[in-house]
Amino acid sequence: NPNIYPPEEYQKRRMGVVALSGADKIEVIFPEYIPSEFLSAVGEEKTRPKRCLLCWSLRLARTAQFAKENKFYGFSTTLLVSPYQDQEAIKKIGREISEKEGIFFHDEDFRPGFKKAHEQARAKGIYCQNYCGCMYSISR
């Protein structure tokens, strides 16, 4: 996820995914961490919600392209578990990218599991972030 700032935050989140995936024996593929992609995608737009829409478009497009190149059935996003994100906008972006790339977008609302997932993560000692990740939201 190229929007994670600072790099130490990216490492904390990555180690959280590694811990969880290892415990559950789930293979995780980590693309190269390239923060400049996020900065290029949002450009001068530093305010919500426009910045978020640009970020989500970048992230979902990269995910869809990877899924298509690697012959996955479809793609989705962890953004759909967050009660803090604009679900309808994320779903709209995902569907548009799905149509463009010709790959299925799973747009289920995962928010009902948010609280339980956080409780389980904390119980396992897995890091839970308190902001979306980008440098503009760090002080929120």
Side-chain angles (χ1 to χ4, degrees):
N1 191 351
N3 77 320
I4 307 299
Y5 178 85
E8 297 80 16
E9 178 70 13
Y10 171 82
Q11 288 303 322
K12 285 183 191 177
R13 293 179 187 208
R14 182 178 172 128
M15 295 313 299
V17 171
V18 168
L20 183 61
S21 63
D24 292 338
K25 297 182 174 45
I26 298 170
E27 179 184 0
V28 179
I29 300 161
F30 292 99
E32 186 176 356
Y33 173 56
I34 309 171
S36 60
E37 286 184 348
F38 166 74
L39 296 171
S40 293
V42 300
E44 296 298 315
E45 188 56 66
K46 294 178 176 61
T47 59
R48 292 184 70 184
K50 292 179 183 177
R51 175 193 76 237
C52 302
L53 297 171
L54 295 167
C55 178
W56 297 333
S57 294
L58 166 69
R59 294 167 60 184
L60 288 170
R62 284 185 71 210
T63 302
Q65 290 161 0
F66 181 89
K68 184 176 178 180
E69 289 168 5
N70 288 278
K71 301 184 182 355
F72 289 9
Y73 171 73
F75 71 105
S76 192
T77 175
T78 58
L79 292 166
L80 294 173
V81 77
S82 176
Y84 305 108
Q85 306 300 331
D86 182 339
Q87 297 287 304
E88 293 310 310
I90 293 165
K91 289 177 182 180
K92 181 177 185 275
I93 292 167
R95 290 177 190 135
E96 289 170 355
I97 292 169
S98 169
E99 189 172 312
K100 178 183 174 199
E101 294 294 332
I103 187 166
F104 174 72
F105 175 60
H106 186 81
D107 62 359
E108 183 175 342
D109 182 353
F110 295 110
R111 289 177 294 184
F114 178 81
K115 184 177 180 187
K116 183 178 179 183
H118 267 260
E119 289 169 358
Q120 290 174 334
R122 284 190 189 97
K124 292 179 181 181
I126 295 172
Y127 174 71
C128 295
Q129 64 271 14
N130 61 2
Y131 66 105
C132 82
C134 85
M135 65 178 62
Y136 306 114
S137 69
I138 197 166
S139 62
R140 271 187 55 198

